[in-house]
Amino acid sequence: MPPTQAPTSKAKTRSEINYGLLPELVGYQLRMAQIALFRDFAQGPGELDVTPGLFGVLVIIEANPDLKQSDLARATHLDRSTVVTVIDNLERRGLVDRRAALHDRRSNALRLTTEGTALLRKLKRQVTQHEKRLLGNFSEAERQSLFKLLQKVFPEHR
């Protein structure tokens, strides 16, 4: 029997790994961009125990006082049960008030609390810095072009 060769423990570096067709796929490129975004977000606004999704929920509620939970679910593309969990969390943290909707007592209307408004003000400053870091290598024209191109992928978000 021929002697077996001992396995090498040398790990391949990122540049040595063949990713096949992945770099040619829009989904892969969007996912890599999302990973970079989330990592940077975690070092700023994320330190306040807020994810990009939660930040988006707070912004939508602030911009639409007394928004119904069902409308928030549609706006965020989340199912209703997920929105209930998110709002429960925000309510527990004292950031959102949930009350019966004015014209539909079966629905809940959402509004930021004073604490929620103060936190969102701070988060907006941090998110502005986060965006500047992420897009620092882009000219204004490139930034606008990027947004326009991404909106072509998801036209219902315009």
Side-chain angles (χ1 to χ4, degrees), residues 1 5 31 36-37 50 54 82 87 92 94 116 133 152 157:
M1 240 195 279
Q5 191 174 17
R31 179 68 176 136
L37 183 145
V50 175
L54 209 52
T82 301
I87 298 306
R92 214 174 8 263
R133 281 190 305 276
K152 282 186 170 189
H157 290 321

Side-chain angles (χ1 to χ4, degrees), residues 67-81:
L67 182 70
K68 291 182 185 178
Q69 282 183 205
S70 57
D71 293 333
L72 178 63
R74 274 191 297 285
T76 57
H77 299 272
L78 297 172
D79 60 68
R80 288 183 185 190
S81 62

Side-chain angles (χ1 to χ4, degrees), residues 86-103:
V86 168
I87 298 306
D88 285 347
N89 176 25
L90 292 173
E91 198 173 39
R92 214 174 8 263
R93 291 175 64 180
L95 303 175
V96 170
D97 276 335
R98 182 175 11 198
R99 56 182 78 138
L102 185 60
H103 299 294

Side-chain angles (χ1 to χ4, degrees):
M1 240 195 279
T4 58
Q5 191 174 17
T8 60
S9 62
K10 184 180 175 188
K12 286 188 173 193
T13 65
R14 182 167 166 76
S15 63
E16 293 175 323
I17 294 174
N18 182 339
Y19 288 88
L21 71 95
L22 288 178
E24 299 169 29
L25 301 175
V26 69
Y28 177 78
Q29 294 298 334
L30 288 171
R31 179 68 176 136
M32 293 298 99
Q34 181 190 35
I35 289 169
L37 183 145
F38 277 49
R39 282 183 181 158
D40 187 83
F41 194 96
Q43 295 172 10
E47 290 178 345
L48 298 171
D49 196 26
V50 175
T51 63
L54 209 52
F55 172 74
V57 166
L58 292 170
V59 168
I60 291 170
I61 293 171
E62 178 193 46
N64 302 276
D66 296 324
L67 182 70
K68 291 182 185 178
Q69 282 183 205
S70 57
D71 293 333
L72 178 63
R74 274 191 297 285
T76 57
H77 299 272
L78 297 172
D79 60 68
R80 288 183 185 190
S81 62
T82 301
V83 167
V84 168
T85 302
V86 168
I87 298 306
D88 285 347
N89 176 25
L90 292 173
E91 198 173 39
R92 214 174 8 263
R93 291 175 64 180
L95 303 175
V96 170
D97 276 335
R98 182 175 11 198
R99 56 182 78 138
L102 185 60
H103 299 294
D104 182 1
R105 310 241 350 118
R106 295 170 297 156
S107 297
N108 288 315
L110 305 169
R111 189 175 282 258
L112 293 183
T113 62
T114 304
E115 295 84 4
T117 300
L119 176 63
L120 186 56
R121 191 177 309 118
K122 185 175 185 175
L123 287 169
K124 284 179 179 179
R125 286 192 302 271
Q126 290 184 342
V127 167
T128 299
Q129 294 305 313
H130 161 73
E131 288 278 314
K132 284 180 183 176
R133 281 190 305 276
L134 285 176
L135 300 177
N137 294 328
F138 287 69
S139 69
E140 181 57 27
E142 289 172 326
R143 188 186 74 77
Q144 288 178 11
S145 179
L146 173 64
F147 285 14
K148 198 174 211 176
L149 291 169
L150 288 171
Q151 288 170 355
K152 282 186 170 189
V153 175
F154 303 102
E156 67 274 6
H157 290 321
R158 280 185 254 160

